[in-house]
Amino acid sequence: MQRILLLPLMLLSQAAFADQLHVVVGVMCTPTQLEVKIERAWNEDGVELLADWYPKRWNTEELRTITSSDEVHYRTKQHRKTVTCKLSGTAVRVVVQPEFALRWHPVGWCATRTGVRVKVYRGGSLLISDGHDVCSEIGDVPISISVSAKGAPAVVRMPATEFIEVQ
């Protein structure tokens, strides 16, 4: 009987210690440069990362809302954030939106992770569209995207396995 009573307690305590990946994206503008930073941290370090807030910086969880009328059916609404910067008099628009893994489900695989897709436009032209679903371990992911007034986008990348690795 004691074993039966301890089982739910053990399961609850394991869930309480599940690792949580926090992903934050921030857009910074100066008169000559635009920079988008994609940062991540696990568990308590992630909570500290979220506390270091500044304008035009979002936790990727803020980029989506999930509603459900039962435990099977759900609806996901994406929230895009748009920032417009003036680089040497030219408007550059950044669109930040959530990105989900192919088999993502809010109560299943990769449920607690929301990735990000960043699109940068100069005038009406798309300069770059890049991001990661933060569930896939294939390839590499952007951690910084910068654009100068007249230049092409520069992207700093790291391996996806390293990005999502528990620290």
Side-chain angles (χ1 to χ4, degrees), residues 87-123:
L87 300 181
S88 298
T90 303
V92 177
R93 184 170 46 104
V94 180
V95 178
V96 177
Q97 65 190 57
E99 181 154 321
F100 302 100
L102 185 59
R103 298 180 320 241
W104 182 90
H105 189 281
V107 293
W109 184 75
C110 213
T112 60
R113 298 185 192 174
T114 303
V116 65
R117 172 137 311 261
V118 175
K119 296 179 181 181
V120 180
Y121 299 85
R122 183 182 291 131

Side-chain angles (χ1 to χ4, degrees), residues 2-17:
Q2 287 179 329
R3 289 183 186 163
I4 293 173
L5 292 174
L6 288 176
L7 183 60
L9 183 59
M10 288 171 47
L11 292 174
L12 285 173
S13 65
Q14 285 179 340
F17 292 110

Side-chain angles (χ1 to χ4, degrees), residues 25 27 58 62-63 79-83 94-98:
V25 59
V27 179
W58 304 277
E62 296 174 54
L63 302 176
H79 304 288
R80 293 186 172 125
K81 304 294 184 180
T82 302
V83 176
V94 180
V95 178
V96 177
Q97 65 190 57

Side-chain angles (χ1 to χ4, degrees), residues 21-92:
L21 176 64
H22 300 274
V23 180
V24 176
V25 59
V27 179
M28 293 158 282
C29 302
T30 69
T32 58
Q33 179 131 354
L34 157 77
E35 185 169 11
V36 179
K37 286 192 172 197
I38 302 169
E39 302 171 89
R40 72 5 182 168
W42 285 91
N43 303 322
E44 293 82 19
D45 292 338
V47 173
E48 289 177 20
L49 178 68
L50 297 176
D52 184 22
W53 183 87
Y54 56 86
K56 302 177 186 144
R57 185 172 194 242
W58 304 277
N59 175 351
T60 57
E61 299 299 311
E62 296 174 54
L63 302 176
R64 58 130 168 109
T65 303
I66 299 171
T67 56
S68 176
S69 56
D70 56 36
E71 293 181 14
V72 178
H73 303 93
Y74 68 95
R75 181 178 203 105
T76 304
K77 180 177 180 183
Q78 296 188 15
H79 304 288
R80 293 186 172 125
K81 304 294 184 180
T82 302
V83 176
T84 302
C85 302
K86 287 278 191 181
L87 300 181
S88 298
T90 303
V92 177

